[in-house]
Amino acid sequence: MAPLTADGIAGLQQITGALLYYAWAVDPTMLVALGTITSQQSKGTQATADAVVQLLDYCATHPDAT
């Protein structure tokens, strides 16, 4: 797959940074997925972006995590 642009990678880093803070503070079930995504984000592809979208869908589906 083709790599993401620099703006695309920066967007992934912003999203994963915000979710990582949330995962540490509230919902540690996302830590495994975030670890996988963050290990791939510096050379992100469309598959990495799709994984972030899937994780965001998970967050939207489970808004009441404790």
Side-chain angles (χ1 to χ4, degrees), residues 28-55:
T29 61
M30 297 188 301
L31 287 175
V32 174
L34 281 168
T36 303
I37 291 169
T38 55
S39 69
Q40 299 170 358
Q41 74 184 0
S42 65
K43 297 192 186 304
T45 64
Q46 186 59 42
T48 311
D50 292 342
V52 170
V53 170
Q54 185 176 6
L55 186 57

Side-chain angles (χ1 to χ4, degrees), residues 18-31 62-66:
L19 290 177
L20 188 58
Y21 176 79
Y22 177 77
W24 280 337
V26 178
D27 186 9
T29 61
M30 297 188 301
L31 287 175
H62 299 87
D64 297 326
T66 55

